[in-house]
Amino acid sequence: MHSHTTTIATILVSAALAAGCATAPVPASKIDSASASVRMAQELRADDPPAAHARLKIATDELAQAQMLMDAGEHEKASRLLDRAEADAELAIAIAQKSRSERALASAQADVHNVNSK
């Protein structure tokens, strides 16, 4: 019987700890990091090509939704959404940089072709 009581007490303590963690506020550094990534993507004009634009829109929407979740006390969900917003903003930047690099390469190759044609 004592073992059964100990098991129930352990489960209750674990549940209480898990609930306590779920309600802990999202660290300001996480909010700042996600916001900075989205802002950087916007400042770098990571909205071309369309794939980058789509990722930036998703990141912006996720950031706004995370704020609403924090306001509603859904800190764990907000934290996960902030992680996704940061990753999507970084992906938008990477897609845009790749596209710019490909255009620069194509332009340089065209210049070399023009020089060799003369």
Side-chain angles (χ1 to χ4, degrees):
M1 183 72 163
H2 178 67
S3 173
H4 182 62
T5 304
T6 303
T7 303
I8 291 174
T10 302
I11 291 170
L12 290 174
V13 169
S14 297
L17 288 173
C21 292
T23 60
V26 177
S29 60
K30 181 173 261 193
I31 299 166
D32 293 345
S33 181
S35 296
S37 292
V38 170
R39 198 170 36 257
M40 182 182 297
Q42 291 167 336
E43 289 172 1
L44 292 174
R45 305 181 73 66
D47 54 2
D48 181 46
H53 175 77
R55 278 293 151 193
L56 180 54
K57 169 93 171 84
I58 290 169
T60 303
D61 291 348
E62 288 168 337
L63 190 59
Q65 188 177 2
Q67 185 61 53
M68 289 188 295
L69 287 169
M70 286 185 288
D71 293 344
E74 297 283 341
H75 301 294
E76 187 176 328
K77 289 179 184 176
S79 180
R80 287 193 307 265
L81 208 50
L82 287 168
D83 289 338
R84 287 179 28 200
E86 185 172 1
D88 284 324
E90 290 173 0
L91 181 56
I93 292 168
I95 292 168
Q97 288 175 335
K98 179 180 182 270
S99 178
R100 288 181 189 132
S101 295
E102 288 171 346
R103 286 193 304 262
L105 175 61
S107 176
Q109 287 174 331
D111 290 346
V112 167
H113 178 73
N114 288 338
V115 167
N116 288 338
S117 298
K118 293 183 182 184

